[in-house]
Amino acid sequence: MGIHQYFVELAEKLTPDLYESIVLPRSVIEVVADEEAFQGWRTRQTGSIAALQTQSFGKDDSFILDFGDHQVGYISLSIKSVGSPQDAPLGLKLIFGEMPCEVAEPFDSYEGWLSKSWLQEETIFVDVLPTVLRLPRRYCFRYLKVVIIDTSRKYTVSFTDIHCTAVTSADVRDLKPLPANVQEDLQVMDAISIKTLQDCMQTVFEDGPKRDRRLWIGDLRLQALANYQTFHHHDLVKRCLYLFGGMTLADGAVGACVFEKPNPVVDDTRLYDYSLFFVATLFDYYEASEDHEALVDLWPIALEQIHIGLARLDEYGVVRDDETWWCFTDWHPELNKQASAHAILLYCLKRGLGLAEVLERKLEATFISDQIDRVTRAAHHHLWDDELSFFVSGANKQVSWASQVWMALAGVLNEEKNGQLMDRLFDSSPEIGMTTPYMYHHLIEALFESGRPEKALEQMRAYWGEMVKDGADCFWEIYNPNDKKLSPYGSNLINSYCHAWSCTPTYFIRKYLL
Amino acid sequence: MGIHQYFVELAEKLTPDLYESIVLPRSVIEVVADEEAFQGWRTRQTGSIAALQTQSFGKDDSFILDFGDHQVGYISLSIKSVGSPQDAPLGLKLIFGEMPCEVAEPFDSYEGWLSKSWLQEETIFVDVLPTVLRLPRRYCFRYLKVVIIDTSRKYTVSFTDIHCTAVTSADVRDLKPLPANVQEDLQVMDAISIKTLQDCMQTVFEDGPKRDRRLWIGDLRLQALANYQTFHHHDLVKRCLYLFGGMTLADGAVGACVFEKPNPVVDDTRLYDYSLFFVATLFDYYEASEDHEALVDLWPIALEQIHIGLARLDEYGVVRDDETWWCFTDWHPELNKQASAHAILLYCLKRGLGLAEVLERKLEATFISDQIDRVTRAAHHHLWDDELSFFVSGANKQVSWASQVWMALAGVLNEEKNGQLMDRLFDSSPEIGMTTPYMYHHLIEALFESGRPEKALEQMRAYWGEMVKDGADCFWEIYNPNDKKLSPYGSNLINSYCHAWSCTPTYFIRKYLL
């Protein structure tokens, strides 16, 4: 990888301290099978924490705590023995769940293709009681199931205190409440968005604090947008930009994600759109922060992404589509990415031009401007289908939601025609739909930017609003209102239920609806 | 409980430092089912540690390390990731086995009545690699099975260093080798005895470093005898005596065992014979150490045990047998304990008399001497069956090995008659036999003390010698040459395979055979 040591060091200096808060469990619950409930499970309160503290537990006993809301943090359990002196180790299993399914369905049943090590459980043996068990790993949960593997015939155990030390780098004191006249459901959606963002804000913007727990540039871009409307933690965005800029792949491309520990390192995953989003994220950052120094530092990296993106254009000025590349756009096995990738290139070229102009880099601005014309023309000539009145993608001229949304965001057409394109999209509803909140974000953004705010709001309510009705404490990585057990990973146990790319309703509400 | 704070504080001041030594695994093995082998399992070397270090492991891979000998200590694993950056936690399961059965038979199959928390396994998730994983718990093992629960599709793991930091309070430099002319099999038996003792010598004389891990007075008495012939760690015996003496049960009886952590505390288990053994253990300690100060301190406790023991005598001077008491003697469901308890009382009265004489406590010596006469007479009149020429026990006049052995040790008859009693015992071989090495120890001691050294040696060879042939690294808690899967706990997985009460062959060899 290419390392710009100075950038990495600066990023490390910007590592934020975390705010800590103590969160106590609210109640003891059970999880009940219920076909009407989301994923088939609902919770029911069965007891109080005060009562729990007076109980004692032996072999095979268990209980489930509800912490009342989604938490990211560290768990501490104060445990004492009851009865004769502790004559054998205490065996405990702890199972953490963001959602009821995780404390209801056995992890042994997991057969998905993502690492099962993501499933949050611990098996612990305690040789000496009483103890205060402070687990060193960070967990992400609302529910904690405690199973007593064994005590002995001569003693049981009692839990005198269980609490979570929740962590985030978001300063909730910075948060401005929405005006009181904002509709109730939007107030709720805004609050859940912000909690999602807050729980993903750690020493970087994580994609999901339960699973992956790392910095992806696709998620970062949306988190940064939500952050500018809420926590204004510019230095955290800056740290992330310097991490991406400081560690590029061998040819200079920005990697799709970076790891922080044990030392910062860029992953070997490369996505066409994600490398380009470095330009857009830097543009948004400069708009929010006016941090000229960072712009000067990082402009060469951004410009390099533009060159790398352009290198994929064929002789007609169209992004080449073949089997040798990866572009994310959305989790959809049949989606052809050519048109969306082409539009993302154009979207980022326009933001690159903006940055070149701020920097008064005239030659570079002229170059980018020429490329914008070239790419726009190519879109009109080679990706637009007059007969269908839609943008098409790939050799089979696929019409998808994603292609239209990104072409609208890229501004290939003017605002009026974009609006009409969006209307046609909803009217004809192509079969190749959208699967992630990440793609829905871009749909909503496209609707707002194409003069369709009512439709945008309707769609927000139809998507994030449904998650709220389904009991979301934070917004989820994966959601399909028509297939609520959907997981691209083969099991809903491993889905992330607090996921960065779902956090943007607050951005829309605060940017477009106030 | 009755606390003599000064005794407990003195005991705590005597807590020894532990000697540490680094032990590396010797080879990679597999465990193979083999009906001819002990418990049906034998090991077979499959690879070297050097080769292991060059391999990398992913989901569901596993390997078993052989550390070459029994170890008590702490484990450290240096682990690095191989391939792409670590994009998911590493999930590991570690299973520790004193014996091949523990790494061959799944712990899930355990259905015994002792706490399954004693089974030595850990499930660990590692968020950041490389790491040096130093597990905080102490394990007792020769074999370590490492199972990779999961890595991810993008990385595997390699183990660059795995080692054990073995601990003991025994100073092996104090050890005198046996003369070279001692027979080979006795040399081996002596070495295994000493290793057993060494691995049980920690901050107290533990009964078993794998299971129970605490100070029982029955085990202590035998460990102390072996210790006086080998490591001469008098202060460790002293610490244990002060712990027992410092924390007695409500009526002043010495408890059967004490726990060290978090603070010293006596268990609520009470055994008639074990309370009395405080007197014998103090007697042996004084003989070995001539520590007059400790004798003065602890004599009142010893005397109290004598009074408590005598309080169980009925109007005929015989230990009362009913449903309200517990006497250990041996693990045997049908053994009646009356005669052995009576003999143990007499055995301890005689040692109490010895101590009273050293202390020049004339009144007490006279009192004890009178009781010795009374108890001896009662044994002759009420527990000896002239027709059978055996001592009998309980309402049903049970004839057992244990009763004869203890009556011989108590010296109810003279040495010549004891010898004849032992001969008759072997000739008629009563049905109620012996089940533990603890009881076999007393048989051997009785044979030596009754002028039957050849028979003693033959029996040592038949019992401990068979364990050696069955592959013992240390001597076991439970062994029946005729039923090698025997466990009083319902599973051989939970048997302790390094157990204090088995450590005495070195005592016999060094005391009687040199």
Side-chain angles (χ1 to χ4, degrees):
Chain A
M1 69 181 175
I3 297 212
H4 307 270
Q5 195 56 40
Y6 163 74
F7 291 176
V8 177
E9 280 167 16
L10 201 146
E12 289 294 80
K13 278 186 198 135
L14 290 167
T15 306
D17 290 332
L18 300 183
Y19 299 93
E20 295 189 350
S21 55
I22 302 296
V23 183
L24 300 176
R26 297 276 183 84
S27 57
V28 181
I29 59 146
E30 62 177 0
V31 180
V32 186
D34 179 350
E35 281 188 18
E36 300 297 303
F38 180 66
Q39 295 180 334
W41 300 108
R42 68 179 167 80
T43 64
R44 196 178 74 80
Q45 182 171 345
T46 56
S48 71
I49 302 302
L52 179 87
Q53 287 166 340
T54 67
Q55 291 173 262
S56 84
F57 301 90
K59 184 175 184 177
D60 296 331
D61 288 341
S62 68
F63 56 86
I64 302 173
L65 299 178
D66 180 355
F67 280 74
D69 199 354
H70 191 269
Q71 311 298 337
V72 177
Y74 299 86
I75 199 85
S76 167
L77 302 95
S78 298
I79 314 171
K80 64 175 185 180
S81 67
V82 176
S84 292
Q86 186 200 7
D87 64 339
L90 163 66
L92 275 186
K93 182 161 253 179
L94 305 179
I95 301 159
F96 298 86
E98 294 184 296
M99 294 291 284
C101 65
E102 291 161 86
V103 291
E105 300 171 24
F107 284 176
D108 287 347
S109 68
Y110 176 75
E111 295 288 349
W113 61 268
L114 282 184
S115 174
K116 74 196 301 183
S117 303
W118 285 120
L119 300 172
Q120 300 178 109
E121 64 175 332
E122 300 292 347
T123 306
I124 296 160
F125 295 95
V126 181
D127 292 320
V128 179
L129 293 174
T131 193
V132 180
L133 198 61
R134 289 187 187 86
L135 302 191
R137 300 180 73 213
R138 199 192 71 189
Y139 306 97
C140 187
F141 65 102
R142 172 172 169 168
Y143 306 104
L144 168 57
K145 182 171 182 177
V146 177
V147 182
I148 285 77
I149 296 171
D150 212 340
T151 53
S152 84
R153 293 186 168 195
K154 295 195 71 176
Y155 81 98
T156 54
V157 287
S158 184
F159 295 83
T160 52
D161 174 60
I162 298 179
H163 70 259
C164 169
T165 303
V167 290
T168 177
S169 56
D171 186 350
V172 293
R173 296 167 305 183
D174 271 3
L175 206 60
K176 284 211 184 83
L178 287 182
N181 64 350
V182 172
Q183 285 165 287
E184 171 74 18
D185 71 326
L186 297 183
Q187 297 267 8
V188 171
M189 219 184 280
D190 181 73
I192 296 174
S193 293
I194 291 170
K195 184 71 163 92
T196 307
L197 177 62
Q198 175 187 329
D199 281 1
C200 292
M201 284 172 70
Q202 301 295 334
T203 50
V204 294
F205 284 97
E206 296 185 12
D207 64 329
K210 176 176 99 174
R211 205 209 65 242
D212 283 19
R213 300 184 205 161
R214 59 188 190 260
L215 173 60
W216 288 87
I217 201 161
D219 299 78
L220 167 65
R221 182 173 143 261
L222 305 199
Q223 286 168 297
L225 292 174
N227 172 57
Y228 303 139
Q229 300 292 338
T230 53
F231 296 117
H232 311 286
H233 197 335
H234 294 166
D235 272 358
L236 189 64
V237 183
K238 184 173 185 172
R239 164 167 159 77
C240 294
L241 283 167
Y242 274 83
L243 283 171
F244 278 115
M247 301 175 297
T248 50
L249 300 173
D251 67 346
V254 165
C257 74
V258 303
F259 298 90
E260 296 177 85
K261 300 281 178 191
N263 300 302
V265 65
V266 64
D267 190 28
D268 52 12
T269 302
R270 176 192 193 115
L271 297 167
Y272 182 80
D273 48 349
Y274 275 32
S275 297
L276 282 166
F277 282 138
F278 185 82
V279 186
T281 311
L282 182 59
F283 177 87
D284 297 335
Y285 172 69
Y286 181 76
E287 272 214 320
S289 68
E290 296 185 346
D291 179 349
H292 200 81
E293 210 174 342
L295 180 56
V296 170
D297 276 352
L298 298 175
W299 170 247
I301 309 290
L303 185 61
E304 197 163 12
Q305 305 319 304
I306 287 171
H307 285 299
I308 290 168
L310 288 168
R312 248 204 110 70
L313 297 182
D314 65 14
E315 66 267 41
Y316 308 108
V318 179
V319 169
R320 268 198 313 276
D321 186 30
D322 56 31
E323 297 302 307
T324 67
W325 73 319
W326 292 96
C327 175
F328 179 69
T329 308
D330 195 14
W331 271 118
H332 193 304
E334 287 153 65
L335 176 65
N336 183 284
K337 315 288 178 77
Q338 184 185 40
S340 53
H342 192 90
I344 289 165
L345 172 62
L346 182 55
Y347 179 92
C348 292
L349 283 170
K350 289 182 175 177
R351 276 139 193 88
L353 178 60
L355 295 177
E357 286 169 350
V358 169
L359 289 165
E360 297 176 1
R361 301 273 195 147
K362 292 202 180 147
L363 275 175
E364 290 161 1
T366 304
F367 167 76
I368 295 172
S369 191
D370 290 348
Q371 297 304 318
I372 289 172
D373 292 344
R374 177 185 172 211
V375 173
T376 305
R377 273 199 312 276
H380 280 293
H381 293 159
H382 300 287
L383 296 173
W384 174 257
D385 187 309
D386 244 347
E387 203 174 313
L388 297 170
S389 286
F390 277 125
F391 290 96
V392 294
S393 184
N396 294 329
K397 298 190 178 296
Q398 182 188 73
V399 177
S400 67
W401 284 72
S403 299
Q404 316 315 314
V405 163
W406 270 110
M407 284 295 181
L409 287 169
V412 176
L413 311 176
N414 63 25
E415 188 180 328
E416 193 192 335
K417 288 192 171 171
N418 274 341
Q420 293 161 359
L421 178 67
M422 290 294 103
D423 295 343
R424 274 199 303 284
L425 182 58
F426 278 90
D427 286 346
S428 72
S429 192
E431 198 184 330
I432 305 294
M434 298 171 294
T435 67
T436 59
Y438 176 77
M439 193 61 228
Y440 271 89
H441 164 89
H442 294 109
L443 171 71
I444 309 294
E445 182 91 312
L447 289 168
F448 277 120
E449 292 293 332
S450 310
R452 297 293 184 273
E454 299 81 7
K455 193 72 181 170
L457 185 53
E458 175 203 297
Q459 288 298 304
M460 274 173 66
R461 286 182 160 137
Y463 196 71
W464 282 271
E466 278 300 302
M467 277 197 233
V468 175
K469 287 182 194 160
D470 277 333
D473 300 306
C474 287
F475 287 128
W476 303 330
E477 175 189 21
I478 302 294
Y479 185 63
N480 182 340
N482 304 314
D483 179 6
K484 293 184 177 178
K485 285 203 174 182
L486 180 77
S487 169
Y489 312 118
S491 166
N492 57 61
L493 292 176
I494 208 130
N495 287 7
S496 163
Y497 293 97
C498 168
H499 213 76
W501 68 20
S502 287
C503 78
T504 54
T506 186
Y507 159 74
F508 294 124
I509 292 165
R510 289 169 185 250
K511 179 174 175 185
Y512 293 111
L513 298 175
L514 293 190
Chain B
M1 68 181 176
I3 297 210
H4 308 270
Q5 194 57 39
Y6 162 74
F7 290 177
V8 176
E9 279 167 18
L10 201 147
E12 289 295 81
K13 277 187 200 136
L14 290 167
T15 306
D17 290 331
L18 300 183
Y19 298 94
E20 296 189 349
S21 55
I22 303 296
V23 183
L24 299 176
R26 297 276 183 83
S27 58
V28 181
I29 59 145
E30 62 178 358
V31 181
V32 186
D34 180 350
E35 281 187 17
E36 301 297 303
F38 180 65
Q39 295 180 335
W41 300 108
R42 66 178 169 82
T43 64
R44 196 178 75 80
Q45 183 171 343
T46 56
S48 72
I49 301 302
L52 179 88
Q53 286 165 340
T54 68
Q55 291 174 261
S56 83
F57 301 89
K59 183 175 182 175
D60 296 332
D61 288 341
S62 68
F63 56 86
I64 302 174
L65 300 178
D66 180 355
F67 280 74
D69 199 355
H70 191 269
Q71 310 298 339
V72 177
Y74 299 86
I75 199 86
S76 166
L77 301 96
S78 299
I79 316 170
K80 65 174 184 180
S81 66
V82 177
S84 292
Q86 185 201 8
D87 64 339
L90 164 65
L92 276 186
K93 182 161 252 179
L94 305 178
I95 300 160
F96 299 85
E98 295 184 295
M99 294 291 284
C101 65
E102 291 161 86
V103 291
E105 300 171 24
F107 285 176
D108 287 347
S109 68
Y110 175 74
E111 295 288 347
W113 62 269
L114 282 184
S115 176
K116 74 195 302 183
S117 303
W118 286 118
L119 300 172
Q120 301 179 108
E121 65 175 331
E122 299 292 346
T123 306
I124 296 161
F125 295 95
V126 180
D127 292 319
V128 180
L129 293 173
T131 193
V132 180
L133 198 61
R134 290 187 185 88
L135 302 193
R137 300 180 74 212
R138 199 192 73 189
Y139 306 99
C140 186
F141 64 102
R142 171 173 170 168
Y143 307 104
L144 168 57
K145 181 170 185 179
V146 178
V147 182
I148 285 79
I149 295 171
D150 211 342
T151 53
S152 84
R153 293 186 168 195
K154 296 193 71 175
Y155 81 99
T156 53
V157 289
S158 185
F159 296 82
T160 52
D161 174 59
I162 299 179
H163 70 259
C164 169
T165 303
V167 290
T168 177
S169 56
D171 186 352
V172 294
R173 295 167 305 183
D174 271 2
L175 205 60
K176 285 212 185 83
L178 286 182
N181 63 350
V182 172
Q183 286 166 288
E184 170 77 18
D185 71 327
L186 296 183
Q187 296 266 8
V188 171
M189 220 184 282
D190 181 73
I192 297 176
S193 293
I194 290 170
K195 184 72 162 91
T196 307
L197 177 62
Q198 176 185 327
D199 282 1
C200 291
M201 283 172 71
Q202 303 294 336
T203 50
V204 293
F205 284 97
E206 296 184 12
D207 63 330
K210 176 177 100 174
R211 206 210 64 241
D212 282 19
R213 298 184 206 159
R214 59 186 190 264
L215 172 60
W216 288 87
I217 202 161
D219 300 78
L220 167 65
R221 182 172 141 262
L222 305 199
Q223 286 167 296
L225 291 174
N227 171 58
Y228 303 138
Q229 300 291 338
T230 54
F231 296 117
H232 312 287
H233 197 335
H234 294 167
D235 272 357
L236 190 63
V237 183
K238 183 173 187 173
R239 165 167 158 78
C240 296
L241 283 168
Y242 274 83
L243 283 172
F244 278 114
M247 301 174 297
T248 48
L249 301 175
D251 67 346
V254 164
C257 74
V258 303
F259 299 91
E260 295 177 86
K261 301 279 177 192
N263 301 303
V265 65
V266 64
D267 190 28
D268 52 13
T269 303
R270 177 192 192 113
L271 296 166
Y272 182 80
D273 47 350
Y274 275 32
S275 297
L276 282 166
F277 281 138
F278 185 83
V279 185
T281 311
L282 181 60
F283 177 86
D284 296 336
Y285 172 69
Y286 181 76
E287 272 214 320
S289 68
E290 297 184 347
D291 179 349
H292 200 81
E293 207 174 344
L295 180 55
V296 170
D297 276 350
L298 297 175
W299 170 246
I301 308 290
L303 184 61
E304 196 163 13
Q305 306 319 303
I306 288 171
H307 284 299
I308 291 169
L310 289 169
R312 247 203 111 69
L313 297 182
D314 64 15
E315 66 267 40
Y316 308 108
V318 180
V319 167
R320 266 198 313 275
D321 185 31
D322 55 32
E323 297 302 308
T324 66
W325 73 319
W326 292 96
C327 174
F328 178 70
T329 308
D330 194 14
W331 269 119
H332 194 306
E334 287 153 65
L335 175 64
N336 182 284
K337 314 288 178 76
Q338 184 187 39
S340 53
H342 191 91
I344 289 165
L345 171 62
L346 181 55
Y347 179 93
C348 293
L349 282 171
K350 289 181 174 177
R351 278 140 191 87
L353 177 60
L355 295 177
E357 285 168 353
V358 169
L359 288 165
E360 298 175 359
R361 302 272 196 151
K362 293 200 178 147
L363 277 175
E364 289 161 2
T366 305
F367 167 76
I368 296 173
S369 191
D370 290 347
Q371 297 304 317
I372 289 172
D373 292 345
R374 176 184 171 210
V375 172
T376 305
R377 274 198 313 275
H380 281 293
H381 293 159
H382 301 286
L383 297 173
W384 174 257
D385 187 309
D386 243 348
E387 203 174 314
L388 298 169
S389 287
F390 278 125
F391 289 96
V392 294
S393 184
N396 294 330
K397 300 187 177 295
Q398 182 188 74
V399 176
S400 67
W401 284 73
S403 298
Q404 317 315 313
V405 163
W406 269 111
M407 284 294 180
L409 287 170
V412 176
L413 311 175
N414 63 27
E415 190 181 326
E416 192 191 336
K417 289 193 171 171
N418 274 340
Q420 294 161 358
L421 177 68
M422 290 293 103
D423 295 342
R424 275 199 303 282
L425 183 58
F426 279 91
D427 286 344
S428 72
S429 191
E431 198 184 329
I432 304 294
M434 297 171 296
T435 68
T436 59
Y438 175 78
M439 193 60 228
Y440 271 88
H441 164 90
H442 294 109
L443 171 70
I444 310 295
E445 182 91 314
L447 289 167
F448 277 120
E449 293 292 333
S450 311
R452 297 293 183 274
E454 299 82 7
K455 191 75 182 168
L457 185 53
E458 174 203 297
Q459 288 298 304
M460 273 173 66
R461 285 182 160 135
Y463 195 71
W464 283 272
E466 277 301 301
M467 277 196 235
V468 175
K469 288 183 194 157
D470 276 331
D473 300 305
C474 287
F475 287 128
W476 303 330
E477 175 189 22
I478 301 296
Y479 186 62
N480 182 340
N482 303 314
D483 178 6
K484 293 184 176 179
K485 285 203 174 183
L486 180 77
S487 169
Y489 312 119
S491 166
N492 57 64
L493 293 176
I494 209 131
N495 287 7
S496 164
Y497 293 97
C498 170
H499 213 77
W501 69 20
S502 286
C503 78
T504 53
T506 186
Y507 159 76
F508 293 124
I509 292 166
R510 290 169 185 249
K511 178 173 174 184
Y512 294 108
L513 299 176
L514 293 190

